[in-house]
Amino acid sequence: VQLQASGGGLVQAGGSLRLSCAASGSISSINAISWHRLAPGKQRELVADITSGGSTNYADSVKGRFTISRDNAKNTVYLQMNSLKPEDTARYVCKAVTPRVHYWGQGTLVTVSS
């Protein structure tokens, strides 16, 4: 499985961005895809995930602001981020979970200015 993340950038506080995680390879083996973020001086944080059945889960810090969704036809998972805050600044990385292995993408950088 290969993952390609995109959509990051610089945005002002209160703005929006949509991240994409495009999967290729053994797509049928993927049980779930999740977004994580890494910020300097902070632990890696699970932001949101979506299972193959469509169930979603969010970190408390992003509930009500972020929405994870998927387009099966495009093998892509999206993270719609609204009402962005400076503390959302991080590298956002997507991960695919299969029964045997977890695959990580290279991530995309999100910077929120105050």
Side-chain angles (χ1 to χ4, degrees):
V1 174
Q2 295 80 44
L3 302 171
Q4 181 68 45
S6 61
L10 174 63
V11 64
Q12 288 188 331
S16 299
L17 283 173
R18 188 179 78 158
L19 306 184
S20 300
C21 176
S24 60
S26 301
I27 305 298
S28 60
S29 66
I30 297 175
N31 293 332
I33 289 183
S34 55
W35 283 99
H36 302 251
R37 62 187 180 188
L38 302 90
K42 297 182 180 180
Q43 289 188 329
R44 184 176 66 201
E45 180 185 17
L46 170 64
V47 177
D49 59 37
I50 185 165
T51 68
S52 57
S55 297
T56 59
N57 177 59
Y58 297 92
D60 288 341
S61 57
V62 306
K63 281 181 181 177
R65 301 188 297 125
F66 291 11
T67 302
I68 191 169
S69 63
R70 64 184 189 184
D71 184 334
N72 291 334
K74 296 182 178 180
N75 296 324
T76 299
V77 169
Y78 302 100
L79 185 68
Q80 178 67 43
M81 306 187 297
N82 299 328
S83 303
L84 282 162
K85 305 175 181 179
E87 52 264 43
D88 293 320
T89 295
R91 174 167 293 277
Y92 285 71
V93 183
C94 55
K95 181 180 79 171
V97 176
T98 72
R100 301 182 64 180
V101 181
H102 294 182
Y103 297 90
W104 292 89
Q106 89 290 357
T108 184
L109 185 61
V110 172
T111 302
V112 184
S113 63
S114 57

